[in-house]
Amino acid sequence: MRLLFFSDTHAHTHEDFDILLPNGESSRLMDILTTFDSVAYYAKKYHVGAVVFGGDLFHTPRAVLTRVFQRTYERAEALVGILEGQDSEFVITAG
């Protein structure tokens, strides 16, 4: 079985590492969402049996903006939908 592993997205809008894009979005958040899109693309392309997320989805969860939580969970949910469509698993471990 093929596995695809990713981890440590640390979703958060860090002032030191974030640029406000012209559309008002956080560059850091967009990078994290793009990571989920890339994982979905490769999982589908290579017909993986499971995608494993190794933890640290959020960086200091109690300080993460609500919109960051929402957008990140929406993208994770879309990934799960793609995986379910090809009988693949999504496994999350604590970081």
Side-chain angles (χ1 to χ4, degrees):
M1 169 178 23
R2 291 183 177 162
L3 299 175
L4 195 157
F5 182 88
F6 75 117
S7 68
D8 296 288
T9 53
H10 290 273
H12 191 274
T13 53
H14 291 279
E15 291 179 11
D16 294 339
F17 307 106
D18 200 11
I19 298 168
L20 188 62
L21 299 173
N23 65 359
E25 287 289 353
S26 154
S27 66
R28 185 163 163 69
L29 176 60
M30 296 312 297
D31 287 344
I32 292 162
L33 299 179
T34 299
T35 298
F36 276 92
D37 293 343
S38 295
V39 168
Y41 170 81
Y42 287 110
K44 197 171 184 180
K45 179 177 180 175
Y46 294 107
H47 307 287
V48 301
V51 171
V52 179
F53 182 78
D56 292 335
L57 181 60
F58 295 103
H59 185 81
T60 317
R62 65 188 164 277
V64 175
L65 299 174
T66 301
R67 69 180 172 78
V68 173
F69 272 118
Q70 290 172 328
R71 301 282 307 276
T72 304
Y73 280 128
E74 285 170 1
R75 202 56 60 96
E77 185 177 42
L79 172 59
V80 169
I82 289 167
L83 295 173
E84 286 177 345
Q86 64 183 37
D87 290 329
S88 298
E89 305 268 338
F90 186 51
V91 179
I92 299 175
T93 64

